[in-house]
Amino acid sequence: MTMKYVHDQDGLYDPSVREAVGRFADTTETFEAASAVRTAAHAVERLQNLGERNRALSPGAVDLLLRLDGGDAHVGELARDAGFSSRNVTGLVDTLEQKGLVRRTPDPADRRAVRVSATDGGHAWVAEFREPARRAMAALFHGFTDAEVASLRDLCLRLVVNQEAVSRRMTPKSTMD
């Protein structure tokens, strides 16, 4: 699906989004920006899916495997760090374990807990994935300066921080316990 973007004094925009948002709100800038973030996230996900198609892992499973390539962790730690639910991480670990890429081991400090670590096969998978992923990111960010990439990262993470603050304010206290 190819979309036609045009330039104005502020940069690229999507005329169809501007028109739709204009019918919805008096001020369109933040709505257009949110739409652009969503569109960009889908573009990154589509690129990931192309790269992962031959590797048969979901983006979430890849995220966990990359984290585990640096060392073992509890499921709860993985969930918190990756921004997933513990239930979701458990399912992803099940998938990775079935593929022989991770293993669960009892935590010597807490016999009720398990730690998850990458196997030799998991480390090899990450090593094989590294160069295609690097090339894909270079293509995706073609024409961006290092400062623009850093600014984009900062802006996106600021959106996440703001969303988390709004969610905390809007979530009833009894459901947060």
Side-chain angles (χ1 to χ4, degrees), residues 7 10 16 19 34 41 44 48 67 73 93 95 100-101 104 114 119 122-123 131 140 143 151 160 162:
H7 282 273
D10 297 322
S16 67
E19 180 185 338
V44 170
Q48 284 178 316
R67 291 171 190 279
V93 168
T95 298
L101 301 174
R104 290 178 169 100
V114 296
T119 62
H123 292 295
E131 185 56 25
L140 186 64
S151 180
V160 171
N162 289 347

Side-chain angles (χ1 to χ4, degrees), residues 137-138 140-153:
M137 289 300 107
L140 186 64
F141 288 96
H142 175 76
F144 283 61
T145 66
D146 290 345
E148 288 171 327
V149 172
S151 180
L152 179 61
R153 181 196 63 232

Side-chain angles (χ1 to χ4, degrees), residues 121-143:
H123 292 295
W125 190 99
V126 170
E128 187 178 305
F129 182 67
R130 186 170 282 116
E131 185 56 25
R134 188 203 62 75
R135 284 194 313 270
M137 289 300 107
L140 186 64
F141 288 96
H142 175 76

Side-chain angles (χ1 to χ4, degrees), residues 82-113:
F84 298 149
S85 69
S86 292
R87 178 179 286 183
N88 191 359
V89 169
T90 298
L92 293 169
V93 168
D94 289 345
T95 298
L96 290 167
E97 191 173 42
Q98 289 168 2
K99 293 181 179 297
L101 301 174
V102 303
R103 74 175 143 276
R104 290 178 169 100
T105 56
D107 185 336
D110 182 354
R111 59 189 178 117
R112 295 168 299 161

